[in-house]
Amino acid sequence: GQPALQAQIVYAQARLRLRAGDLGDAEALIRQAQSLWQTVGAVAPLARSYLGLTQILTMQGRYAEAESAIQAAIVGLPAASPQQAQARINLANLLRRQERHSAALLEYSAAQTIYTEQLRICQANGDSDGAAQMQGALARLAVNQANALMYLDRPAEAEAALHNASARFAQAGDSLNQGRTFTNLGTLYLRTGRY
């Protein structure tokens, strides 16, 4: 219907305002689009719009509001979907910004469960492109987990996560990120005195 199309236009304007660096207008436009989506009961675009709102709120240091927005996205996105996993990673990254590493690890773990199941489905269906994408997602996730574990002074688990990431980057054929993972491993060894 008309309100749904209007909401898409308003949301696109919000993205343009964000690119221009006008966070106030971008936020107002996103909230306007959300209100239009709510009137027509458009659950999916409404849920996705909370990801954009989270970005704006985080950029302003409004972490509590950003956390509420990302929680709304998680609830509204399809359960156990890659989109929901990505939203959980965004929440975990937001928690890490606030030095809440234990809480972040719980969100990373929830995302890991989703991606692992998606990988299993791709492999069962012979979808090698999808499987490579999920390997890459799981590898990036393992690097994030390792960083949180290092802050929590859990070097053995951090090391295991980085080895996991390295192996997954290799399976995904991503040698650049595999190399970056070795750099992280080197940093971990330095921090733990293993010269």
Side-chain angles (χ1 to χ4, degrees), residues 91-137:
L91 173 56
N93 293 340
L94 176 65
L95 292 167
R96 278 188 44 218
R97 267 188 182 206
Q98 302 169 75
E99 310 269 323
R100 293 163 62 193
H101 301 288
S102 295
L105 280 174
L106 293 174
E107 294 302 327
Y108 287 140
S109 180
Q112 185 178 22
T113 301
I114 294 170
Y115 283 147
T116 302
E117 177 58 15
Q118 292 293 321
L119 174 61
R120 191 196 61 72
I121 292 167
C122 289
Q123 288 169 334
N125 295 336
D127 175 4
S128 56
D129 287 348
Q133 265 188 317
M134 288 304 120
Q135 289 287 13

Side-chain angles (χ1 to χ4, degrees), residues 3-167:
L5 178 61
Q6 197 182 343
Q8 281 181 296
I9 293 167
V10 171
Y11 191 77
Q13 290 171 329
R15 300 302 299 172
L16 290 171
R17 296 309 314 144
L18 176 59
R19 273 216 190 100
D22 187 346
L23 302 180
D25 270 5
E27 180 184 347
L29 287 164
I30 287 179
R31 293 191 189 276
Q32 188 185 335
Q34 288 178 331
S35 141
L36 289 164
W37 278 317
Q38 278 168 337
T39 58
V40 295
V43 177
L46 177 62
R48 286 192 302 271
S49 74
Y50 279 108
L51 298 174
L53 185 58
T54 300
Q55 181 186 3
I56 291 168
L57 295 169
T58 302
M59 288 167 78
Q60 296 175 340
R62 293 160 64 189
Y63 297 138
E65 291 173 80
E67 195 173 327
S68 296
I70 198 75
Q71 292 285 10
I74 290 168
V75 169
L77 290 166
S81 66
Q83 297 87 346
Q84 193 186 61
Q86 186 55 58
R88 287 189 174 281
I89 291 167
N90 292 358
L91 173 56
N93 293 340
L94 176 65
L95 292 167
R96 278 188 44 218
R97 267 188 182 206
Q98 302 169 75
E99 310 269 323
R100 293 163 62 193
H101 301 288
S102 295
L105 280 174
L106 293 174
E107 294 302 327
Y108 287 140
S109 180
Q112 185 178 22
T113 301
I114 294 170
Y115 283 147
T116 302
E117 177 58 15
Q118 292 293 321
L119 174 61
R120 191 196 61 72
I121 292 167
C122 289
Q123 288 169 334
N125 295 336
D127 175 4
S128 56
D129 287 348
Q133 265 188 317
M134 288 304 120
Q135 289 287 13
L138 282 162
R140 288 187 297 278
L141 181 55
V143 171
N144 283 330
Q145 287 171 315
N147 290 333
L149 288 162
M150 280 196 271
Y151 274 101
L152 292 169
D153 204 23
R154 291 159 63 179
E157 291 168 86
E159 183 180 354
L162 289 171
H163 282 299
N164 174 1
S166 172

Side-chain angles (χ1 to χ4, degrees), residues 172-185:
D174 186 344
S175 55
L176 176 66
N177 279 312
Q178 188 182 17
R180 286 184 178 145
T181 304
F182 287 128
T183 305
N184 288 15
L185 213 43

